[in-house]
Amino acid sequence: MRSSLTFQTSMAARALARGLCGLRPSRAVPVGCGHQYVTAAASVKPPQLQPEEVADQTLKKTLEKPDYFHVSELFSLKQLFDARVHLGHKKGCRHRLMEPYLYGCRLDQDIIDLDQTMEHLQQALNFTAHIAYRGGIILFVSRRRQFCHLVENTAKDCGEYAHTRYWRGGVLTNAHIQFGKGVRLPDLIIFLSTLNNVFEQHVGIRDAAKMNIPTVGVVDSNCNPCLVTYPVPGNDDTPAAMELYCRLFKMTINRAKDKRRQMELLQGLSASAPPSS
Amino acid sequence: MATLCKVVYRLRCGVRVTPSKFIQSSFCSDSSGASSSDQPAPERPKSGFAAAFDLQSELRREAESSAAGSSASSPVQKESFASLLRRSPLMQMGPPKDKVVIGRIFHVVQDDLYIDFGGKFHCVCQRPADGERLQRGTRVRLRLQDMELTSRFLGAATDTTLLEAQAFLLGPLESRETREPQSQD
């Protein structure tokens, strides 16, 4: 009799403790009943789960809406048009796999379809924002000497990394030997031009695909969009277009990082509030 | 100008009338006969400060709506890419051969002038003998030849491109200097 009574009360106490913990996630465990072994069991589990649960919830919250960071507000069709993003190379330079992204060809010059570019750019910026929100390392790559300084400044302004020089063979695939053990590879590589100086596909695209690193790439009408995870069909030769891309990526990354700092502050406030009350 | 005079006149009237209006309102609040005073108030045409305030807020609302209209028309109308493209100067120009355009020098390397005229690529022209005033930022006239210099070489799958346009430099944009005294008059 005595054992059954204690068992029932212990079950009730555990349910009560769990219920209270679910309502107010806090480190301090509300002591409902006086049984010592029950309170010991109740005090062990919740404090370990709470910070993880809260972190999971904040990460899941960003995935609820399709455009959580409102990146589609950052650009418009008119802005892309004025920055000459729709201008492609001549017909003879066209890559066969870029044909779905082209609107047409006018006097031998390919015109890129900006409606498709808008969708692709929105997806790419959204992905970049999520990566930046989760504290991922972003690497800007461009082998165009004309825009090397611009790309490096963009990376510096958003606190990320850039590689605009000659790409050595095993930078990603042989990183453990070339840079030492425990090197953290980038979580996202943004190619502002997917070609290298001799008009071949940049080695980084293939290497990133090998190392399971997602890539965002601005693909012109003479580029191969195959291995790029989030291709953005657009002009990569005009300074106006490149400045637009750099500005958009910088704004997205800064926006996502600010949001992250905001959420961390809120979490810190909510974690510190209940014990004091 | 007429509205300004009207506003100033009304403001002046308002300055004179306001003290009496204040006295009236204080009497009303003391007597607590608010119901009797409220009925004639909407029927009476507003004068003085009230009229000026209404006019000013209306003017401001109109200005805001016209400004908002010009900015709201783009998301409301949302010019499609097709219409933007059709109306763009590049399409309206037609074949680039022997077309005269205005460009801007954005980079200078000794005698080479890098000129951007609004196409995908810039063009590089040699500085003419009398081109001492052609510096960075100068507007120049060009005769276009080609928007992009490309050519298919033997054995190649795709064209080789020079990433440049070709144009002849006609000279700086001098027409503005002759026009300026006319606009001042």
Side-chain angles (χ1 to χ4, degrees):
Chain A
M1 274 299 285
R2 189 163 156 256
S3 59
S4 66
L5 271 170
T6 49
F7 174 75
Q8 278 173 17
T9 42
S10 69
M11 285 294 288
R14 224 174 277 135
L16 184 67
R18 217 181 291 137
L20 284 164
C21 288
L23 283 170
R24 263 189 296 131
S26 59
R27 299 237 164 86
V29 177
V31 178
C33 300
H35 284 266
Q36 288 175 0
Y37 52 90
V38 166
T39 50
S43 61
V44 164
K45 283 190 218 166
Q48 287 177 358
L49 278 174
Q50 289 320 305
E52 290 173 12
E53 273 182 11
V54 168
D56 276 341
Q57 275 168 22
T58 47
L59 288 180
K60 277 178 193 165
K61 210 170 140 195
T62 56
L63 298 174
E64 278 164 20
K65 295 184 208 168
D67 193 7
Y68 184 75
F69 298 98
H70 304 289
V71 292
S72 44
E73 295 171 353
L74 294 174
F75 61 97
S76 68
L77 188 77
K78 190 80 175 68
Q79 276 179 354
L80 292 183
F81 192 85
D82 291 333
R84 309 177 222 164
V85 167
H86 60 290
L87 298 178
H89 286 269
K90 285 276 171 90
K91 190 170 71 175
C93 302
R94 191 195 301 169
H95 196 282
R96 202 173 67 87
L97 295 165
M98 282 300 289
E99 278 164 16
Y101 301 119
L102 298 180
Y103 184 73
C105 187
R106 159 84 171 173
L107 295 167
D108 277 356
Q109 186 179 21
D110 288 334
I111 306 289
I112 294 166
D113 190 3
L114 279 190
D115 297 323
Q116 290 187 49
T117 303
M118 291 274 284
E119 294 166 10
H120 284 91
L121 186 59
Q122 196 265 318
Q123 282 181 20
L125 288 176
N126 184 40
F127 184 72
T128 315
H130 281 274
I131 294 272
Y133 182 83
R134 285 149 199 259
I137 293 181
I138 298 176
L139 182 68
F140 286 87
V141 174
S142 169
R143 202 59 186 98
R144 293 294 302 266
R145 285 191 66 187
Q146 196 180 2
F147 310 117
C148 139
H149 186 68
L150 172 70
V151 170
E152 287 178 345
N153 280 344
T154 310
K156 196 163 72 169
D157 289 340
C158 46
E160 297 295 343
Y161 305 84
H163 187 107
T164 55
R165 313 287 165 172
Y166 176 73
W167 182 277
R168 281 191 297 166
V171 163
L172 294 177
T173 45
N174 208 17
H176 287 297
I177 297 171
Q178 286 192 3
F179 299 111
K181 291 201 174 175
V183 169
R184 189 177 156 189
L185 291 180
D187 300 304
L188 172 67
I189 303 184
I190 300 180
F191 285 92
L192 287 154
S193 167
T194 53
L195 297 180
N196 61 15
N197 281 349
V198 285
F199 300 101
E200 288 168 4
Q201 197 186 38
H202 200 286
V203 172
I205 297 179
R206 194 199 65 198
D207 284 355
K210 280 186 188 175
M211 302 301 291
N212 282 339
I213 299 170
T215 45
V216 165
V218 175
V219 282
D220 205 345
S221 64
N222 58 348
C223 305
N224 186 353
C226 272
L227 289 175
V228 182
T229 327
Y230 290 91
V232 178
N235 187 4
D236 64 358
D237 298 302
T238 313
M242 289 300 279
E243 279 165 18
L244 177 75
Y245 299 135
C246 287
R247 210 183 69 229
L248 286 175
F249 281 116
K250 184 169 65 177
M251 277 161 65
T252 328
I253 293 170
N254 283 334
R255 194 182 266 207
K257 286 185 172 176
D258 288 340
K259 187 88 188 182
R260 179 68 188 213
R261 256 176 257 136
Q262 202 183 46
M263 294 300 254
E264 280 176 355
L265 276 172
L266 284 170
Q267 273 181 37
L269 284 171
S270 64
S272 60
S276 58
S277 65
Chain B
M1 274 301 285
T3 18
L4 193 65
C5 296
K6 237 188 277 176
V7 164
V8 168
Y9 174 69
R10 283 196 183 161
L11 276 170
R12 283 194 194 143
C13 292
V15 167
R16 278 182 229 148
V17 176
T18 3
S20 54
K21 278 198 90 178
F22 277 134
I23 295 162
Q24 282 173 18
S25 60
S26 63
F27 273 134
C28 292
S29 56
D30 289 341
S31 60
S32 72
S35 55
S36 57
S37 61
D38 277 346
Q39 279 167 12
E43 293 169 8
R44 239 192 313 159
K46 290 188 186 174
S47 64
F49 179 70
F53 182 73
D54 281 348
L55 187 72
Q56 279 298 297
S57 47
E58 215 183 283
L59 284 170
R60 199 172 292 160
R61 239 181 290 128
E62 275 171 33
E64 274 171 26
S65 65
S66 62
S70 55
S71 62
S73 62
S74 30
V76 165
Q77 282 178 11
K78 246 187 181 156
E79 253 205 280
S80 70
F81 171 57
S83 71
L84 276 174
L85 188 69
R86 222 180 78 180
R87 287 172 179 76
S88 68
L90 189 68
M91 297 294 127
Q92 297 294 318
M93 183 175 75
K97 190 112 171 86
D98 296 326
K99 293 280 184 339
V100 178
V101 296
I102 296 170
R104 194 180 52 87
I105 301 174
F106 69 93
H107 191 56
V108 175
V109 175
Q110 290 168 7
D111 270 346
D112 295 327
L113 308 168
Y114 289 72
I115 304 161
D116 172 35
F117 55 87
K120 183 171 162 87
F121 297 105
H122 57 270
C123 68
V124 185
C125 299
Q126 287 283 313
R127 190 197 291 271
D130 59 342
E132 278 311 309
R133 53 188 169 150
L134 293 174
Q135 299 302 329
R136 223 176 125 225
T138 323
R139 289 192 169 269
V140 290
R141 278 165 56 239
L142 305 163
R143 178 170 288 128
L144 283 185
Q145 297 301 310
D146 202 352
M147 296 296 282
E148 184 182 350
L149 289 169
T150 58
S151 183
R152 178 74 58 99
F153 286 88
L154 278 177
T158 55
D159 280 9
T160 308
T161 169
L162 270 182
L163 303 178
E164 261 178 38
Q166 193 184 33
F168 296 131
L169 186 60
L170 295 175
L173 199 62
E174 280 181 32
S175 53
R176 220 195 297 162
E177 288 172 31
T178 52
R179 276 184 209 156
E180 267 178 13
Q182 291 174 14
S183 62
Q184 279 169 9
D185 301 334

